[in-house]
Amino acid sequence: MSKGSALIVGVGPGLGLALARAFARDGNPVALFGRGAVRLDEYASGLVAEGRTANAYQADAADPEALRSALVKAADELGAPEVLVYNAALLAPDKPIGLDARDFARALAVNVTGAMVAARTVLPLLPDGRGSLLFTGGGLALDPSPDYSSLSVGKAALRAYVQSLYKQQQDTGVHVTTVTVAGYIGGDDPRFTPEALAAAYLDLHHQPQGWWQAELLYPDHPAFGPAPRC
């Protein structure tokens, strides 16, 4: 049986691309969303060259209508989705005092509001009301940083939103989870390579329903030991 599409919002050269590759290689037609059209086209072309099905869709996660339209277009072109991964975030250093109101609002639009728009758009598109909605969280939700104030607030708000969505959907066939990444992606720790993280998302998507939880604290797992809260 053919697989539904995987919609990856927030595709860049790190985790986003690794997620697209992981789901494409698992057999899902993949839609790559981001602001850089040229880069997205290159990523999609690379997957197509491997024999995968992949399309690129330019959309700003801070623009609700543009994001909604792009998600619907992807579902029309690639087939009904079985998984959404919301990986978009605005990573900019800032302090609690001295934040510009407009910059703060844009950060929240990308980090939180876009996730809500994506979830509301994709939920009705899931075939038979079944699928996965996975969101990239961060350790800053648990231990906020005074050097990344808006990102800390955004990740905390995203965590709360996803947990409330999980509770709303927990008696359905929709798997809602935030992956709270408690470490630096792409650093020296092999647990935090984009590929290792992408494999964890793929495992979540295939997880039996009896194991579903609102949050995966990565990599707090018996095989890894506690992760630093950074």
Side-chain angles (χ1 to χ4, degrees):
M1 186 173 68
S2 61
K3 294 191 174 186
S5 58
L7 312 180
I8 316 296
V9 179
V11 175
L15 178 56
L17 179 56
L19 288 164
R21 285 174 173 158
F23 281 94
R25 291 169 181 172
D26 199 50
N28 297 99
V30 173
L32 294 76
F33 300 86
R35 291 194 298 162
V38 174
R39 183 171 64 181
L40 287 175
D41 286 338
E42 290 175 354
Y43 296 157
S45 296
L47 290 170
V48 171
E50 293 182 8
R52 317 298 177 183
T53 300
N55 286 354
Y57 300 89
Q58 185 179 22
D60 186 343
D63 184 336
E65 184 53 35
L67 179 58
R68 188 199 69 79
S69 296
L71 289 165
V72 171
K73 182 179 180 182
D76 287 342
E77 294 180 348
L78 294 176
E82 67 175 54
V83 58
L84 162 74
V85 180
Y86 191 84
N87 183 58
L90 191 59
L91 285 71
D94 48 32
K95 302 285 188 180
I97 301 300
L99 280 168
D100 178 81
R102 285 173 295 184
D103 291 343
F104 188 63
R106 174 166 175 79
L108 292 180
V110 175
N111 298 335
V112 186
T113 307
M116 179 273 292
V117 171
R120 286 187 59 179
T121 302
V122 172
L123 267 171
L125 303 177
L126 298 175
D128 301 319
R130 302 191 65 82
S132 299
L133 304 183
L134 310 177
F135 301 81
T136 299
L140 293 177
L142 307 175
D143 185 13
S145 167
D147 296 318
Y148 288 88
S149 297
S150 61
L151 184 60
S152 298
V153 172
K155 289 303 184 184
L158 176 66
R159 183 172 183 261
Y161 172 74
V162 175
Q163 292 198 6
S164 66
L165 182 62
Y166 167 84
K167 291 175 181 178
Q168 183 192 56
Q169 298 293 322
Q170 64 183 358
D171 294 326
T172 72
V174 181
H175 185 187
V176 178
T177 300
T178 183
V179 181
T180 299
V181 183
Y184 180 71
I185 300 174
D188 295 332
D189 190 332
R191 298 173 298 178
F192 291 97
T193 64
E195 293 74 21
L197 270 163
Y201 283 72
L202 192 62
D203 286 345
L204 281 173
H205 177 54
H206 292 304
Q207 200 174 52
Q209 187 165 355
W211 294 4
W212 291 359
Q213 294 183 323
E215 180 177 33
L216 170 65
L217 182 56
Y218 183 95
D220 274 9
H221 184 282
F224 297 131
R229 302 290 183 254
C230 59

PDB file of all heavy atoms in Angstrom, residues 10 64 67 138 152:
ATOM      1  N   GLY A  10      10.091  23.930   7.542  1.00  0.00           N
ATOM      2  CA  GLY A  10      11.335  24.410   8.129  1.00  0.00           C
ATOM      3  C   GLY A  10      12.501  23.553   7.694  1.00  0.00           C
ATOM      4  O   GLY A  10      13.162  22.920   8.530  1.00  0.00           O
ATOM      5  N   PRO A  64       0.539  33.207   7.914  1.00  0.00           N
ATOM      6  CA  PRO A  64      -0.429  32.114   8.062  1.00  0.00           C
ATOM      7  C   PRO A  64      -1.079  31.680   6.753  1.00  0.00           C
ATOM      8  O   PRO A  64      -1.203  30.482   6.482  1.00  0.00           O
ATOM      9  CB  PRO A  64      -1.463  32.683   9.044  1.00  0.00           C
ATOM     10  CG  PRO A  64      -0.717  33.703   9.818  1.00  0.00           C
ATOM     11  CD  PRO A  64       0.255  34.308   8.858  1.00  0.00           C
ATOM     12  N   LEU A  67       1.439  29.882   4.436  1.00  0.00           N
ATOM     13  CA  LEU A  67       1.744  28.539   4.937  1.00  0.00           C
ATOM     14  C   LEU A  67       0.573  27.603   4.703  1.00  0.00           C
ATOM     15  O   LEU A  67       0.758  26.478   4.232  1.00  0.00           O
ATOM     16  CB  LEU A  67       2.082  28.620   6.427  1.00  0.00           C
ATOM     17  CG  LEU A  67       2.409  27.291   7.112  1.00  0.00           C
ATOM     18  CD1 LEU A  67       3.580  26.588   6.436  1.00  0.00           C
ATOM     19  CD2 LEU A  67       2.708  27.512   8.600  1.00  0.00           C
ATOM     20  N   GLY A 138      12.635  22.318  22.178  1.00  0.00           N
ATOM     21  CA  GLY A 138      14.013  22.546  22.584  1.00  0.00           C
ATOM     22  C   GLY A 138      14.154  22.612  24.088  1.00  0.00           C
ATOM     23  O   GLY A 138      13.192  22.909  24.809  1.00  0.00           O
ATOM     24  N   SER A 152      13.442  31.086  23.809  1.00  0.00           N
ATOM     25  CA  SER A 152      13.046  30.389  25.031  1.00  0.00           C
ATOM     26  C   SER A 152      11.543  30.464  25.241  1.00  0.00           C
ATOM     27  O   SER A 152      10.888  29.457  25.548  1.00  0.00           O
ATOM     28  CB  SER A 152      13.776  30.993  26.238  1.00  0.00           C
ATOM     29  OG  SER A 152      15.172  30.843  26.143  1.00  0.00           O
TER      30      SER A 152
END
